[in-house]
Every structure is written in structure tokens, then in C-alpha cells.
Amino acid sequence: FYTVDSSGGDVTVNLPAVASSAGKTIDVCHKVIGNDIIFDGNAAETINGATTLTVGGTAYQNITLFCTGSEWLER
């Protein structure tokens, strides 16, 4: 579980490689309104079919990502 404070601007979260993350989840709480969290897959790996996932600035929004072993999916 991670908390992300984007009060200083957008924050990029670099995800670990899917090959070593199969079955794992990453939970993130976005603490601030206004700026974005950008999840970036490792190399060309994907999140919901895209290389990045941008989540808008909603205070205390929770984002959960699950690794299938070949990609990340948002729950």
C-alpha cells in the first residue's frame, strides 16, 4: 500500500516488471485534489492495454492494480 501526494504536480509511478509480479497487487491512495498520478508500465508492458494509466486528482481516491503475469489491470 502506498500513498501519493501530488500537491507539487503530477507524479509518475513506475511499475515493476510483470514477469516478477504475477499475482501481486499494488494499492495506491491519492491524497490530493488537482494533479494526476501516472502509472507507467515497465518498458512496453501495459496497464489495461495501454503503456500508461493516468488517474485524475480526486482526494483520497484508491487505485488497485493487479498483475496477471503478462499485464497490469486496474480493479
Side-chain angles (χ1 to χ4, degrees):
F1 178 80
Y2 301 93
T3 58
V4 175
D5 183 341
S6 63
S7 60
D10 294 347
V11 174
T12 299
V13 175
N14 296 305
L15 298 175
V18 295
S20 60
S21 301
K24 294 183 180 178
T25 59
I26 294 176
D27 293 308
V28 175
C29 178
H30 192 188
K31 290 178 60 176
V32 179
I33 295 172
N35 296 308
D36 294 335
I37 299 175
I38 303 159
F39 293 94
D40 189 4
N42 184 53
E45 295 174 350
T46 61
I47 310 113
N48 292 346
T51 54
T52 61
L53 171 69
T54 300
V55 179
T58 302
Y60 299 102
Q61 177 180 10
N62 186 61
I63 301 99
T64 300
L65 300 176
F66 174 77
C67 183
T68 66
S70 59
E71 67 179 330
W72 289 95
L73 299 174
E74 181 182 12
R75 283 197 208 188

